[in-house]
Amino acid sequence: MMPGSHAFLSASSSHRWLHCSPSARLEQAFEDRSSEAAAEGTAAHELCEYKLRRALRLQAEMPVSPYWCEEMDGHTDGYVEFVLETLAEARTHCTDPVVRIEQRLDFSDYVIEGFGTGDCVIIADDTLYVIDFKYGQGVLVESENNPQMMLYALGAIKLFGPLYDFRQVSLSIYQPRRQNLSTWNIPVNDLLTWAEDVLKPAAKLAYEGKGEYCPGEWCRFCRASVLCRARAEEKLRLARYEFRKPPLLTDPEIGEILGKLDDLTHWANEIKGYALQQAISGKEWHGWKLVEGRSNRRYTDEAAVEKTVTDAGYDPYERKLLGITAMQKLLGKARFEELLAAYIEKPQGKPTLVPESDKRPAMNTAEHDFMEENDNE
């Protein structure tokens, strides 16, 4: 993986600065605090790179990380399998496709000082494949009209375009922890038109810190979001519904609220978290005080507890059946299916309200089933 350096207008943050151009400069006043999830994601990417290089018989140095686990091992294997499947597809119309792993991509023709790193780029004559591995499980990421992927494609076209006559770009996101595999194709001419008409002017505004603040779901990845006044005003406008009894809300109002509740809750938790950290640092909030929360008992020396209980004639451990993932790892996939397939079931998931854009099929409600039965009579 390439040395850690980030463009001011990075591809990974493009979804935000394309919608809210002044946020790019605004968040510069806030410290970039790497999260545990980000460190885990970096480890997963390093493992992906190593495994893919090995699969392609390229030189690879084994990385080491405390975040490696059985789950990550399985998901990174799946990513390599997907890349190899894509490479096999490329070979159906190109005799010698070229694979680039962790390729630095320069898209500064459209975004001032813009560059990024593509997880995997496959060049196959007139088709360019760009594949991105997402280890996060919080937000489902789609490839269609995904600006990060489109920026990577622009960088790849700039780098390899002088040698190849690209007609089409295939953008794929592999997000295993969300069971998400998303691929979207776009003609190169359409991509270049978007870059000139949409990307370039928006990037110029963002670089200069100009434009209008525009709160939205992209705010959750902005370092300034906790204190952003535009976002607070937008969330507080939703709070006006609190002054009306639920029975008085109309169906359209309920629908509007449902679409904003997740982000509203996220924003509220961010405010609470920020206020808590400031209080711990010594700040006093009028009407609030810092107290010690509840805690649970724990052993100070597990080895000593084990010996003491064993010497007293008791067994300090409980036996527990291995989980399905661990059992499959123990037996191997083929043996697991042979021995245990008859004893495995996947219960129906708990009903959840999601936007219509969600790819999962709608559930049949009892009322829907009753109506179908009446229609068949």
Side-chain angles (χ1 to χ4, degrees), residues 315-323 327:
D315 182 2
Y317 293 104
E318 62 178 0
R319 293 186 62 188
K320 184 178 179 181
L321 191 66
L322 288 176
M327 190 71 78

Side-chain angles (χ1 to χ4, degrees), residues 324 337-345:
I324 290 178
E337 289 296 326
E338 177 187 346
L339 295 175
L340 301 179
Y343 306 108
I344 304 296
E345 69 171 357

Side-chain angles (χ1 to χ4, degrees), residues 343-362:
Y343 306 108
I344 304 296
E345 69 171 357
K346 193 174 189 302
Q348 185 176 31
K350 182 179 179 181
T352 304
L353 271 177
V354 298
E356 287 185 353
S357 58
D358 192 283
K359 291 183 176 180
R360 287 169 290 183

